Amino acid sequence: MVSYKDLGLVNTREMFAKAIKGGYAIPAFNFNNMEQLQAIIKAATDEKSPVILQVSKGARNYANATLLRYMAQGAVAYAKELGWEHPQIVLHLDHGDSFELCKDCIDNGFSSVMIDGSHLPYEENVALTKKVVDYAHQYDVTVEGELGVLAGVEDEVSSDHHTYTDPEEVIDFATRTGCDSLAISIGTSHGAYKFTPAQCTRDPKTGKLIPPPLAFEVLDAVMEKLPGFPIVLHGSSSVPQEYVDIINANGGKLPDAIGIPEEWLRKAAESAVCKINIDSDSRLAMTATVRKVFNEKPGEFDPRKYLGPARDEMEKLYKHKIVNVLGSNGKAE
């Protein structure tokens, strides 16, 4: 058993409470490799923002569970080296799909886990989430549950439709499971193709796609049922058009990729939404930079010469999200 506290990590309980009270959201940035981790920690340290290092089942398999644990421990040490005296860093399992996976992560130093039973019948979701909560809370690990289904594709998580969260279920679910936060569905979506062109309208002046509005009435109803309870939004990348354009201009093929407008996310962050998940945007920033380097310097084969610039671009992206979208800058000592 490896305790996250021995790695210098924290759980989400205190940071979520502060976020709700302060009207901002904690960034939950997915990472798969060293460059992403370096960029996240540098951005969070420079902006003094609490941060959630988010790892999917697929990312954990890719990075290796043991190496991942030491990377998280190294992230804390790196933040201190950069001058962050008391780093507020969470290591979180994103979309855990079984009790066994959640238990293994808890036993190996994760400070927070998500158990996603949203695809199951309601009572089975309740039972599975409660089982994870009962185990996690023995070790002061926080648990995120989910009600509602998000469309899109992200690693092992895939759905061709979304189902809005039913506000009538949230009190029962939160009470019976004891979960510490709740991911809800209000129309966000996984991946870089969050909406089909048929779901969108086109700006007559620019020709760009405009996504359908988020169901903020669902969020309002959930907040009314569970005042002060931590709410999470998945699938919240904005899919910056400049990165899509760079990718397409340098041999890529991302037609009609579209994300969630940042002003909608700012509105959510000012409410009870205290954790906003962002993954695709950093993938796009990395891919755009690497493609551009390869196109401009076809003879380049030193990974540092293309992964280094990609890391710098991701750091810039993360800082932008922290300051201009989530408002979490300056909220950590």
Side-chain angles (χ1 to χ4, degrees):
M1 179 77 190
V2 177
S3 170
Y4 70 86
K5 295 176 182 178
D6 293 335
L7 304 181
L9 300 165
V10 300
N11 67 25
T12 60
R13 193 169 291 117
E14 185 177 344
M15 64 171 62
F16 282 179
K18 289 181 178 178
I20 293 172
K21 187 175 180 180
Y24 59 92
I26 310 295
F29 296 131
N30 287 67
F31 82 101
N32 305 271
N33 60 25
M34 183 185 74
E35 286 78 17
Q36 285 177 308
L37 182 61
Q38 288 175 313
I40 292 168
I41 296 304
K42 183 70 163 54
T45 301
D46 286 355
E47 298 300 338
K48 290 298 182 287
S49 168
V51 70
I52 296 170
L53 301 174
Q54 196 154 264
V55 181
S56 67
K57 177 182 176 181
R60 192 166 182 251
N61 291 337
Y62 175 83
N64 177 269
T66 303
L67 283 175
L68 193 66
R69 181 174 78 235
Y70 287 106
M71 287 173 76
Q73 187 174 22
V76 174
Y78 179 41
K80 290 181 178 179
E81 183 182 297
L82 291 171
W84 196 0
E85 189 175 353
H86 302 291
Q88 294 178 29
I89 300 172
V90 171
L91 181 61
H92 173 77
L93 171 65
D94 187 26
H95 287 290
D97 60 0
S98 69
F99 170 78
E100 290 74 20
L101 175 60
C102 291
K103 179 181 182 300
D104 192 52
C105 287
I106 293 165
D107 292 348
N108 282 280
F110 279 62
S111 57
S112 175
V113 295
M114 178 201 184
I115 178 64
D116 183 0
S118 61
H119 59 287
L120 298 171
Y122 179 76
E123 288 297 330
E124 291 181 30
N125 188 3
V126 169
L128 177 59
T129 303
K130 185 179 187 306
K131 185 177 182 181
V132 172
V133 168
D134 288 346
Y135 185 79
H137 282 184
Q138 295 179 63
Y139 304 101
D140 200 26
V141 171
T142 43
V143 178
E144 175 185 328
E146 180 166 358
L147 274 176
V149 178
L150 270 69
V153 178
E154 179 186 15
D155 289 351
E156 302 81 12
V157 182
S158 176
S159 177
D160 59 4
H161 71 285
H162 66 251
T163 304
Y164 289 145
T165 301
D166 183 353
E168 296 303 319
E169 293 178 342
V170 295
I171 297 177
D172 180 73
F173 186 85
T175 302
R176 289 172 60 192
T177 64
C179 65
D180 301 284
S181 61
L182 183 63
I184 66 170
S185 173
I186 62 170
T188 55
S189 181
H190 291 130
Y193 295 92
K194 298 188 182 300
F195 309 99
T196 65
Q199 293 174 295
C200 304
T201 56
R202 283 195 184 270
D203 187 317
K205 294 182 179 178
T206 65
K208 293 182 179 179
L209 293 173
I210 302 172
L214 298 182
F216 278 103
E217 69 276 8
V218 173
L219 174 58
D220 291 341
V222 169
M223 290 192 299
E224 186 178 327
K225 297 288 185 182
L226 289 175
F229 193 82
I231 302 300
V232 176
L233 282 189
H234 284 243
S236 297
S237 283
S238 299
V239 188
Q241 190 62 45
E242 61 265 32
Y243 293 143
V244 174
D245 290 343
I246 291 171
I247 290 171
N248 290 339
N250 289 277
K253 191 176 182 181
L254 290 175
D256 293 328
I258 186 169
I260 309 298
E262 290 185 338
E263 58 267 28
W264 297 359
L265 297 175
R266 278 196 294 272
K267 179 179 176 181
E270 292 168 357
S271 68
V273 173
C274 59
K275 172 177 178 274
I276 292 181
N277 294 8
I278 297 170
D279 184 5
S280 295
D281 285 353
S282 65
R283 297 184 185 194
L284 292 168
M286 173 175 259
T287 301
T289 306
V290 171
R291 278 191 174 275
K292 191 169 186 288
V293 171
F294 282 166
N295 197 29
E296 294 177 350
K297 301 176 181 178
E300 186 58 74
F301 65 96
D302 183 346
R304 295 170 296 181
K305 298 296 177 64
Y306 52 87
L307 292 178
R311 178 185 60 193
D312 295 343
E313 191 61 39
M314 287 188 291
E315 180 189 330
K316 187 171 77 173
L317 169 76
Y318 294 136
K319 286 182 175 179
H320 166 73
K321 297 291 184 181
I322 286 169
V323 175
N324 299 311
V325 181
L326 308 178
S328 59
N329 54 307
K331 302 301 191 295
E333 296 176 3

